[in-house]
Amino acid sequence: MDSMSVKKCLRSEARWYMDVYEKEKNMNPSLLQPVKVVEEYGVTTKLTFARDRLVKSFLWNVGIAYEHQYTRCSEWLTKVMNFVLIINDIYDVYGSLDELELFTDAVE
């Protein structure tokens, strides 16, 4: 099985677990909120070359800002970290040298 097929299988399995968890009576909506934001912006469907590392970003940031009073900080750190990882994938996977030079100029 190639890596793209594995990625699709893992994504559909994760989607199934999220749907099941969402129906639990003791479900914590803040755990699903970052996923809903990424789906809302269409990151996983529009940027198919980018790795979906939202959970990794979220857990990394919860380790930094784990107390309840820092929930908003953790949400923003997750968004920023995910954005940085997507930009990293643009440089690593997607663009040609000429395109990346233009992209770098635009970002600067």
Side-chain angles (χ1 to χ4, degrees):
M1 191 180 286
D2 65 353
S3 63
M4 196 60 147
S5 297
V6 170
K7 186 176 180 180
K8 287 179 182 178
C9 288
L10 292 174
R11 188 173 286 165
S12 65
E13 183 179 356
R15 181 74 246 163
W16 181 83
Y17 281 112
M18 286 185 283
D19 289 340
V20 170
Y21 180 71
E22 194 170 33
K23 295 173 185 164
E24 294 280 325
K25 61 181 173 185
N26 296 330
M27 181 268 295
N28 182 349
S30 64
L31 292 176
L32 294 175
Q33 194 271 339
V35 174
K36 301 253 185 225
V37 169
V38 169
E39 287 177 349
E40 182 179 306
Y41 290 114
V43 173
T44 56
T45 56
K46 293 178 184 171
L47 303 176
T48 57
F49 62 88
R51 293 171 281 179
D52 188 6
R53 297 182 284 183
L54 181 64
V55 174
K56 182 178 186 176
S57 300
F58 178 74
L59 292 175
W60 185 79
N61 291 313
V62 168
I64 292 172
Y66 58 89
E67 294 180 7
H68 182 68
Q69 66 202 34
Y70 301 121
T71 301
R72 193 82 172 135
C73 175
S74 180
E75 289 173 3
W76 277 103
L77 284 172
T78 299
K79 292 174 186 179
V80 169
M81 185 63 170
N82 210 40
F83 184 68
V84 168
L85 292 170
I86 289 170
I87 289 177
N88 181 51
D89 286 343
I90 290 172
Y91 279 99
D92 288 349
V93 178
Y94 189 69
S96 68
L97 183 57
D98 292 335
E99 291 171 329
L100 293 175
E101 288 174 351
L102 291 172
F103 182 71
T104 301
D105 291 341
V107 171
E108 288 178 348

